[in-house]
Amino acid sequence: MKIESTALGTQIGDPESYIRFPLGIPGFEQSQTFQLFHQEAGNVVGYLQSLDNPDLTLSVFSPESLSIFYEFTLNDEEQALLKLERGEDAALLLVAYRQGGGEGNGETGQASRINANVMAPLVINFQTRLGLQKVLYRTERRITIHAS
């Protein structure tokens, strides 16, 4: 199936591999169905393209690629939403975003920076193709960063 994307152009998607976020992603609640793309082999960045909005493409990557590891618990509602029976069926992705504007930030002349939302990873059950964004609060998060 053809998927139109403003950022990626026309792509071929596989309905069997679509990822559905039943609650949407905070800030993008109207978009619930996505396709995950990797542009180049070996590239740690992927693209989560909304099938509901061709203008919505999220850059995502595995936290492990930056030696970031999480330990948190999903509540019963979250586990039910994902239809998650085993923790090993879940994968985490972080959403990257650009802070600042374009090539340079007008007044300061500083280049924009790429950041990641480490406080709200995407949790995806790749068995059921269901996902959610888990907002972590101070009392429930444990994030470990291993130095290389």
Side-chain angles (χ1 to χ4, degrees), residues 44 60-72 87-88 90-94 116 118 121-122 126 142-148:
V44 297
V60 295
F61 62 94
S62 167
E64 292 86 9
S65 67
L66 295 179
S67 297
I68 300 173
F69 300 91
Y70 287 86
E71 187 176 312
F72 60 85
E88 53 268 18
L92 299 179
L93 292 175
L94 297 179
V118 297
L122 300 177
F126 277 102
R142 181 170 169 215
I143 302 172
T144 306
I145 301 175
H146 296 276
S148 300

Side-chain angles (χ1 to χ4, degrees), residues 40-94:
E40 299 174 15
N43 190 348
V44 297
V45 176
Y47 302 95
L48 204 54
Q49 175 61 52
S50 169
L51 277 67
D52 305 307
N53 179 354
D55 295 330
L56 178 57
T57 307
L58 303 173
S59 297
V60 295
F61 62 94
S62 167
E64 292 86 9
S65 67
L66 295 179
S67 297
I68 300 173
F69 300 91
Y70 287 86
E71 187 176 312
F72 60 85
T73 303
L74 296 174
N75 63 37
D76 291 342
E77 293 82 20
E78 292 165 334
Q79 286 184 35
L81 179 80
L82 295 172
K83 297 182 182 176
L84 186 64
E85 296 177 9
R86 302 175 324 150
E88 53 268 18
D89 290 338
L92 299 179
L93 292 175
L94 297 179

Side-chain angles (χ1 to χ4, degrees), residues 100-112:
E103 294 299 313
N105 186 348
E107 293 178 17
T108 64
Q110 294 177 336
S112 57

